Amino acid sequence: MLKPGMFISDRYEIIDSVGSGGMADVYKAKDHRLNRFVAIKVLKPEYSSDKSFVNKFRGEAQSAAGLSHPNIVNVYDVGDDGGLYYIVMELVEGITLKRFIERKGKLDVKEAVGIAIQIAQGLEAAHDNNIIHRDIKPQNIIISRDGKVKVTDFGIAKASNSNTITSNAMGSVHYLSPEQARGGYSDEKSDIYSLGVTLYEMLSGKVPFVGDNNVSVALLHIQGEAAPLRELEEDIPLSVDKIVQKCMQKKPERRYHSASELIVDLKKSLTNPDGDFVQIPAFVTDDSPTINISDDLNKIKNGSYYNNDSDYLSAYSNNNYNNNHNNSEIIDDDEDEDEELDTVDTKMEKIFSVLTIVAIVVLFIAILFVVVRFIFPKGSKKPQGNQTATVSPSLEPTEEPTPSIEAEPTVETYQFPSVIGHKFEDAKAAILAKDPDAVIIPQEEYSSEYEAGYVVRQYPHPNTDFPVGSEVTLYVSVGPENFALPSVYNMSKAEAEQKLRENGLVPKIESMHSNDVEEGKVIRTEPAKDSLVKEGDTITVYVSLGPEIVLKPVPNLIGKTLRDAESLLREAGLRVGRVNKESSENYASGQIIYQDTTAGELVEQGTKINITVSTGPKAKPTQPPKKKYIGTLIIDDINPLEHKELAEAEVILEMEQGGYSTEIYNKRTSASDFPIIVPNIEGESASVGIVKMYIDGEVFRLNEGDQAYEWYVEFETVEE
């Protein structure tokens, strides 16, 4: 095993292990040359010294390297580093279709058809390049986080123009086409059969054929008939059921002839689910007959065709990778095989038939012996009368029958119980009561349906025959998963309720007045946005009733400065309105000489009070030379738009000086325009100018309820 931090070929840094199979391990790595993350498939050390294994491993890269399609995992590079043989592939973050089916039990029809279309599109690209995958199954389909479906693991792919008999080991037996199970010729239609089985499992949650061992499953593919989907699930449309039936026809010529044809019908089924447009051809003469080889039958019997599945990387047997031969070598091999097949004559067939009959007789005697031994165990009293003849001397225990009995051992199984909804300890006890040798592996899983500590899912499924001593996986709830509460601020009541319910939360509506949020919009939530919550939590949503009508007395502003007046009005819950300027012989410059609402009068909270500010006595004819006051404003201590989480807004800067209010900046501004510098501001005097900012008409405050944020401008005196 490679460790994180190790480098391959001074380029690929190992980040983490992804999965492991029979011949190779898969790692997540970083390509430092192209600065991207990749998946690296590394041949296991025990196979690196075997030249044939290395050639087959490289053959996988050659099978897939020429394929570039959105629904196929891309191969980027292949190489070796000091005897370490590797393939560099596209890294797809996601889960296998097998795990996806296990999580959901079965898929929605549209979801399953959509996935099947993407798989078929990947196969279409492979078939167009004369590449047959030969191991299509949910374990070799990855669904990325963005929903893209990708076909991976061309480990036992074969060039379709090689015309070879599939006497080598194939993929998982549950998805094997009949011609592959027989050891016959495989082509594009073999992949279509496997895709049909995969679609069957997506829609029903189970594979069409299940047996005690691989041989029985393979024979069911050859001879058995799968239960129609509509008998298992009534809501499956007629068109989809017939598409699956056509894909899974025993005779290849009765299936879809290409992935392109299959894609057309799958797309039709989405728009016309109940249409009867799928045509399954009547039986015709097989134009690609299966050639039976006795050696192939032996391989089926001893199970050498099949292997176990892995979640991310399939564990292939030694023959699961392409030979690293060119096409001419493959054709030569096929010609040799054809010559050997021609030598098989009827005499050999007769010998094989005789041997088969002998084997059946021996097996019958062995079974009879076991039955007799069970009914009359050793040491018991022999039965009287005619029953004595049943136990003949030839059936007494000897050393000879033993090999015949053990020639085809059976796997001891038990009916697996349903433990979903039970506490983990209770579930464990129930399983061990059935099988004390069971290996129970707990896996944590979030669940809003079951409390923490209870079993959410199980593998195997309830009431299935399961081998004694095998691994059992129990998915144990750790409670609902926490997530950040989504923001519903400023949404309408209906929009907020819908969004919260979509996230599994329970909205509770409360109403309150607000001077800042319009009526019917959400003011805030409790808990606040981005707080950690879990499915089923109740969220209190406060919806605005609009401003609350409150009457406030108007303070006396006459004789006060503009700043004092603003402070008095703010304390009274009122605001400064329009500011006019007038000369006055009685009030100094900057003092208020008029307010449009009489002091003591009750007005609605938030009302604006218009005022007039004195500019001092009128200028006399003999005045000294007029002076000019110039200043510069720099706003670099804070970015108000970022503080308000706004990308851009209408920004107005208003300066107050000596009782006068002057607009010095008004434009559409983005957050990136800060800091803002406003030069050559003309002031009324040498006194400091006070600047306030209005964002989309609202005065800028650091926090709700604070005073308006202010900046200051200092002026220099310039004589005109």
Side-chain angles (χ1 to χ4, degrees):
M1 292 287 289
L2 301 180
K3 300 292 181 64
M6 294 177 64
F7 274 79
I8 297 178
S9 297
D10 295 325
R11 176 176 177 178
Y12 303 106
E13 180 187 1
I14 301 298
I15 303 298
D16 197 7
S17 174
V18 174
S20 181
M23 292 182 62
D25 299 313
V26 178
Y27 300 90
K28 178 181 179 180
K30 184 174 183 181
D31 181 352
H32 284 272
R33 187 174 300 172
L34 298 179
N35 193 29
R36 65 182 177 185
F37 289 102
V38 295
I40 295 188
K41 192 180 214 178
V42 180
L43 186 65
K44 289 187 175 181
E46 56 263 36
Y47 301 116
S48 299
S49 59
D50 190 318
K51 187 175 180 180
S52 64
F53 274 99
V54 173
N55 289 338
K56 292 169 185 175
F57 184 73
R58 286 174 172 167
E60 175 182 355
Q62 293 173 352
S63 295
L67 301 177
S68 179
H69 190 272
N71 297 118
I72 295 177
V73 175
N74 292 319
V75 172
Y76 297 142
D77 189 15
V78 61
D80 65 272
D81 182 5
L84 193 71
Y85 298 92
Y86 62 89
I87 300 171
V88 183
M89 303 176 293
E90 173 188 5
L91 178 66
V92 183
E93 298 284 359
I95 63 172
T96 64
L97 177 57
K98 185 70 174 180
R99 180 61 61 85
F100 189 61
I101 295 171
E102 288 176 352
R103 286 185 178 180
K104 299 192 71 172
K106 59 183 177 181
L107 308 189
D108 176 74
V109 173
K110 289 186 178 179
E111 185 177 35
V113 171
I115 292 173
I117 289 173
Q118 295 191 59
I119 298 171
Q121 288 171 340
L123 289 178
E124 181 182 36
H127 295 169
D128 287 345
N129 285 271
N130 298 320
I131 298 296
I132 311 303
H133 190 286
R134 303 202 305 172
D135 195 19
I136 292 296
K137 58 185 177 182
Q139 293 89 332
N140 285 341
I141 308 299
I142 302 176
I143 303 175
S144 65
R145 290 177 177 174
D146 59 359
K148 180 67 71 176
V149 177
K150 290 181 177 282
V151 180
T152 185
D153 219 330
F154 281 76
I156 61 173
K158 198 78 171 177
S160 62
N161 59 4
S162 63
N163 298 324
T164 55
I165 304 300
T166 57
S167 57
N168 291 337
M170 291 294 94
S172 174
V173 67
H174 291 95
Y175 308 91
L176 206 63
S177 68
E179 58 269 23
Q180 287 174 292
R182 292 191 188 97
Y185 173 82
S186 62
D187 58 8
E188 292 89 343
K189 294 185 280 292
S190 303
D191 283 348
I192 290 173
Y193 181 93
S194 299
L195 176 52
V197 177
T198 301
L199 182 55
Y200 188 103
E201 184 177 2
M202 283 193 281
L203 293 167
S204 66
K206 57 187 178 182
V207 292
F209 300 118
V210 179
D212 294 333
N213 51 54
N214 287 337
V215 174
S216 61
V217 175
L219 291 175
L220 286 172
H221 277 291
I222 296 171
Q223 302 171 352
E225 290 295 334
L229 283 170
R230 286 166 65 85
E231 291 184 7
L232 302 177
E233 302 292 337
E234 294 180 354
D235 57 346
I236 292 178
L238 172 65
S239 60
V240 176
D241 186 19
K242 294 195 70 173
I243 287 172
V244 175
Q245 289 182 32
K246 186 171 181 178
C247 288
M248 292 177 56
Q249 289 296 305
K250 304 299 180 186
K251 295 292 183 180
E253 61 271 15
R254 301 190 69 195
R255 301 175 204 150
Y256 288 98
H257 288 187
S258 67
S260 305
E261 292 182 13
L262 172 58
I263 293 169
V264 170
D265 276 3
L266 285 170
K267 289 182 177 179
K268 281 184 182 177
S269 72
L270 293 175
T271 57
N272 185 18
D274 296 320
D276 190 13
F277 53 82
V278 179
Q279 300 298 320
I280 301 176
F283 175 77
V284 294
T285 304
D286 191 352
D287 58 357
S288 58
T290 299
I291 300 174
N292 291 321
I293 307 174
S294 59
D295 184 51
D296 292 327
L297 183 58
N298 291 332
K299 287 182 179 180
I300 291 180
K301 285 185 176 181
N302 61 36
S304 65
Y305 269 115
Y306 314 110
N307 56 287
N308 295 327
D309 298 332
S310 168
D311 186 45
Y312 182 88
L313 174 69
S314 296
Y316 295 112
S317 63
N318 297 354
N319 290 318
N320 276 1
Y321 286 86
N322 277 342
N323 293 325
N324 191 21
H325 299 311
N326 55 35
N327 286 341
S328 63
E329 291 173 330
I330 295 174
I331 293 171
D332 290 342
D333 290 343
D334 296 336
E335 291 174 354
D336 293 340
E337 289 182 10
D338 291 339
E339 290 174 3
E340 290 177 7
L341 291 173
D342 292 339
T343 63
V344 180
D345 56 15
T346 57
K347 183 176 180 180
M348 290 299 297
E349 292 178 359
K350 291 178 180 178
I351 293 173
F352 180 75
S353 300
V354 172
L355 291 175
T356 303
I357 294 171
V358 171
I360 293 172
V361 172
V362 172
L363 182 61
F364 173 76
I365 294 173
I367 292 172
L368 185 60
F369 170 75
V370 172
V371 171
V372 172
R373 291 289 294 168
F374 178 78
I375 297 174
F376 308 114
K378 188 174 182 180
S380 64
K381 187 176 181 180
K382 290 186 178 181
Q384 301 295 323
N386 294 334
Q387 293 178 348
T388 311
T390 306
V391 187
S392 63
S394 61
L395 295 178
E396 285 297 322
T398 65
E399 293 298 321
E400 294 178 1
T402 305
S404 298
I405 296 173
E406 296 180 350
E408 294 189 17
T410 58
V411 178
E412 184 181 356
T413 62
Y414 66 102
Q415 190 174 58
F416 198 83
S418 174
V419 295
I420 296 174
H422 295 261
K423 286 186 177 180
F424 172 71
E425 294 302 327
D426 296 339
K428 183 177 179 181
I431 296 168
L432 293 177
K434 292 261 188 178
D435 176 16
D437 298 325
V439 180
I440 300 174
I441 302 173
Q443 297 282 350
E444 293 184 346
E445 184 169 296
Y446 291 109
S447 173
S448 57
E449 183 178 357
Y450 296 98
E451 296 179 16
Y454 285 77
V455 177
V456 177
R457 292 190 296 118
Q458 66 179 64
Y459 180 80
H461 299 298
N463 303 319
T464 57
D465 291 333
F466 197 63
V468 169
S470 299
E471 289 186 354
V472 173
T473 304
L474 298 182
Y475 298 88
V476 184
S477 170
V478 292
E481 183 176 8
N482 289 333
F483 58 92
L485 175 64
S487 174
V488 294
Y489 296 175
N490 257 339
M491 289 185 180
S492 68
K493 171 177 170 289
E495 290 172 339
E497 287 182 308
Q498 180 181 353
K499 186 168 185 179
L500 293 175
R501 287 196 176 100
E502 286 175 353
N503 286 272
L505 302 171
V506 180
K508 177 184 176 184
I509 305 300
E510 297 285 351
S511 300
M512 64 183 298
H513 290 281
S514 173
N515 295 325
D516 300 316
V517 180
E518 66 177 283
E519 184 178 356
K521 300 288 187 179
V522 175
I523 304 169
R524 61 184 177 87
T525 58
E526 194 175 287
K529 66 176 181 178
D530 296 329
S531 300
L532 289 179
V533 295
K534 62 182 180 295
E535 191 173 338
D537 281 357
T538 298
I539 308 300
T540 303
V541 181
Y542 293 92
V543 180
S544 174
L545 293 172
E548 184 177 8
I549 300 176
V550 178
L551 298 179
K552 296 286 186 180
V554 178
N556 183 16
L557 307 178
I558 305 300
K560 304 292 191 296
T561 64
L562 184 61
R563 175 172 288 191
D564 291 341
E566 186 179 53
S567 178
L568 288 170
L569 290 172
R570 185 186 304 116
E571 291 174 1
L574 306 174
R575 293 185 291 172
V576 174
R578 186 174 62 256
V579 178
N580 299 315
K581 296 179 181 180
E582 249 182 52
S583 61
S584 173
E585 298 295 332
N586 300 321
Y587 292 94
S589 176
Q591 291 182 324
I592 295 173
I593 61 175
Y594 172 78
Q595 61 186 77
D596 67 348
T597 307
T598 307
E601 184 178 339
L602 294 176
V603 296
E604 189 176 324
Q605 183 176 337
T607 300
K608 291 183 178 181
I609 307 300
N610 299 322
I611 58 176
T612 302
V613 180
S614 170
T615 58
K618 288 185 179 179
K620 296 180 180 180
T622 57
Q623 288 183 347
K626 193 173 181 181
K627 295 181 180 180
K628 203 173 185 180
Y629 306 96
I630 303 298
T632 299
L633 171 65
I634 301 176
I635 299 178
D636 60 356
D637 57 332
I638 189 172
N639 190 325
L641 294 187
E642 287 185 349
H643 183 81
K644 288 284 188 179
E645 298 183 349
L646 295 172
E648 63 175 22
E650 182 184 51
V651 175
I652 298 174
L653 296 176
E654 190 172 276
M655 183 184 74
E656 296 176 4
Q657 184 191 34
Y660 292 86
S661 178
T662 307
E663 185 176 284
I664 61 174
Y665 182 94
N666 187 340
K667 62 188 294 187
R668 193 80 180 167
T669 306
S670 65
S672 61
D673 292 332
F674 286 85
I676 291 177
I677 301 175
V678 183
N680 300 322
I681 300 171
E682 188 171 347
E684 298 293 334
S685 66
S687 63
V688 173
I690 301 171
V691 178
K692 297 178 183 176
M693 178 181 290
Y694 293 84
I695 300 175
D696 289 337
E698 295 291 330
V699 67
F700 172 65
R701 295 178 172 86
L702 280 178
N703 298 294
E704 187 175 351
D706 289 353
Q707 294 184 359
Y709 199 89
E710 299 176 344
W711 291 268
Y712 301 93
V713 181
E714 296 182 354
F715 292 88
E716 294 180 359
T717 305
V718 179
E719 290 187 359
E720 292 184 338

